[in-house]
Structures are given as C-alpha cells and as structure tokens.
Amino acid sequence: MFIRQIKKIRGLWLLSAWFFSSVINAQNSLQTGVSFYKVTPETETIRMYWRQDDGTPYQTLGRLIDVKGKSHQINMAINGGIYDKEYRPEGLYIENGKTLRELNTKSGEGNFYIRPGGVFSIGNGQAKIETLEAFSATPDITFAVQSGPMLLQHGKINTKFSQTSESRKIRNAVGLTAKGDIYFLLSRQPVNFYEFAQYAAEQLNITELLYLDGTISGMYTPSGGVPSQRYPFVTMITVERK
C-alpha cells in the first residue's frame, strides 16, 4: 500500500504592522502556506502528459484524471513548465522517449528566460534537475520538461532574486535533495522567488529547485481533489503507483 506524502504546511503569521501592511520581511519569509508531495520511488513512478492519443491536449487536471485515472493510480498531478501563445511547451518536452519540443536556449522576457534555466528529466528511473548548459539529451530519457528559472542550485538561492521583492504570486516547482529525494511544491499563498526558494532549502533540504509555473498553478491529490482552473494547462506531471 502506497503512502501519500502530501502535507500542508501552514505557518503562524506574526501579527504586526509589517503583516497588516502586506510586507513580509526576511525573518518571517518562511511563514507561508506550502503544500508539498514527496515521491516514494520504490512504489511510485513519474510521468508527463500533454496530448491525448487523438492529438487533442488534456488541458485540465480533471480531464487527465478522468482519462488516465481509469488505468493508472494517480497519487499526485501538477502542471508542468511554461507554455507559449500557441499552447505548446515553451522549451524542451520529451514524453515516452519522444522529443515533442526542442531545447530552447534563446533570450527573451519573462520568468522562463531568467538564467539559469533548467530541465527536469526522468531517465532509467532516475530524476534529474540540470541547467540548460549541463543538460544533454540522451536516449535513456523517457520524460523531460524545460522551465525556468532555477530557484536553487547546489543549495544556493539564485542571486537574481531579492528577499524584499514585491512580486508575490502563487508558484509551483520541482525539487531534489542531495540524497535524491523528489519533491513537488505549490505555494498556497503568494510568495516571491526568494521566499519560495528559502522555504524549500531550509524546511525540506532541497538543493536543486526548478520553477515550473506561476499564478494558474494547481495540484491534485486524491485527498485534496481536483483543483478548479480558470486557464488551460499544457504539460502536466503525475506521480503514479507502479
């Protein structure tokens, strides 16, 4: 029997003038609600989905659960990387060993182009998070999605982030610890990049953390149910029972 690893972490907010003015300083930057799911590799496997067998995109976690949940026991599902205006993965996307979108190393505006960018991949049952420069598309990779920016690299917070940034949004990410533990995270309240990375590093010992997407993000678990969506998803990542 698998063990659901989903936990909801809700901090105790300090009742101060800083709080009421919606300013979060470095001291209480980790007191933000975050849901996370820790994968159990012995009993679970990670997959990625974009389009159905007839070529039409799934678009919602609900649709994915309805279709794949009949033959796959899905323990967790979350939206994957950033997509373009044509509702295609913005960068590299590999599904079932087939490259459906190529690696994108171009410059541009928006979170996806903040460097370093990264790739989350599954090959030979092993999960990796690598920078664009370090990543190499090898034949053993069965699933991969490109996104950005890297929030943590070797345990260090991306120097492009400021702990005083006022850009706070719902955010989700995938992370790895030095021991190889795999986590999927979703903030339940708006956070800036620095706060999100700091939480992952200090509370979960994550050393490599790749941002997946922002405001529209959602997470499914059997106990939590299917989240509502205002906008379609493109790539989605699942954790399924083997």
Side-chain angles (χ1 to χ4, degrees):
M1 186 69 179
F2 71 90
I3 300 175
R4 293 193 186 103
Q5 300 286 348
I6 190 70
K7 299 180 181 177
K8 289 186 177 180
I9 307 299
R10 298 192 180 278
L12 297 177
W13 291 90
L14 296 177
L15 299 179
S16 65
W18 289 103
F19 172 79
F20 289 113
S21 62
S22 299
V23 175
I24 303 176
N25 59 27
Q27 182 177 357
N28 61 14
S29 63
L30 298 184
Q31 297 170 343
T32 301
V34 175
S35 291
F36 65 83
Y37 190 98
K38 182 181 179 183
V39 180
T40 305
E42 294 79 13
T43 59
E44 295 177 318
T45 187
I46 297 172
R47 299 179 186 274
M48 299 182 190
Y49 297 93
W50 174 15
R51 294 170 174 161
Q52 303 176 72
D53 293 340
D54 63 3
T56 59
Y58 285 101
Q59 292 193 322
T60 68
L61 289 173
R63 178 62 179 166
L64 177 63
I65 301 304
D66 286 343
V67 174
K68 289 299 181 181
K70 299 173 183 177
S71 56
H72 299 238
Q73 182 171 302
I74 299 176
N75 300 338
M76 193 284 305
I78 197 167
N79 53 305
I82 296 169
Y83 51 86
D84 64 19
K85 294 180 180 179
E86 283 73 44
Y87 291 96
R88 302 172 302 179
E90 185 79 8
L92 178 75
Y93 181 69
I94 299 174
E95 185 175 323
N96 292 319
K98 184 177 181 180
T99 301
L100 303 181
R101 295 283 288 170
E102 299 292 340
L103 194 71
N104 182 349
T105 58
K106 298 178 181 178
S107 299
E109 298 181 355
N111 294 329
F112 182 84
Y113 295 99
I114 297 175
R115 296 297 183 245
V119 174
F120 172 56
S121 66
I122 304 293
N124 291 328
Q126 182 180 6
K128 291 183 179 180
I129 295 177
E130 301 170 283
T131 64
L132 300 185
E133 293 74 20
F135 175 77
S136 177
T138 56
D140 65 295
I141 294 177
T142 50
F143 297 98
V145 63
Q146 177 184 349
S147 195
M150 291 282 293
L151 306 183
L152 287 169
Q153 191 175 2
H154 308 308
K156 303 297 183 181
I157 298 177
N158 192 324
T159 56
K160 294 183 174 65
F161 307 149
S162 168
Q163 57 187 312
T164 60
S165 170
E166 296 183 0
S167 177
R168 293 188 173 88
K169 301 179 184 296
I170 298 298
R171 306 183 190 277
N172 71 340
V174 57
L176 296 176
T177 69
K179 297 190 301 181
D181 295 330
I182 310 164
Y183 285 91
F184 292 95
L185 299 84
L186 173 69
S187 70
R188 294 298 182 182
Q189 297 165 0
V191 293
N192 63 33
F193 278 140
Y194 190 99
E195 293 162 351
F196 200 31
Q198 188 178 37
Y199 174 89
E202 296 188 1
Q203 300 300 313
L204 301 176
N205 295 316
I206 289 173
T207 57
E208 312 299 318
L209 186 68
L210 178 63
Y211 175 71
L212 292 176
D213 209 344
T215 304
I216 67 172
S217 298
M219 177 188 288
Y220 160 84
T221 61
S223 61
V226 179
S228 61
Q229 286 183 227
R230 294 181 58 190
Y231 301 97
F233 294 153
V234 177
T235 59
M236 287 175 272
I237 306 170
T238 62
V239 178
E240 305 175 9
R241 185 174 181 179
K242 289 183 177 178

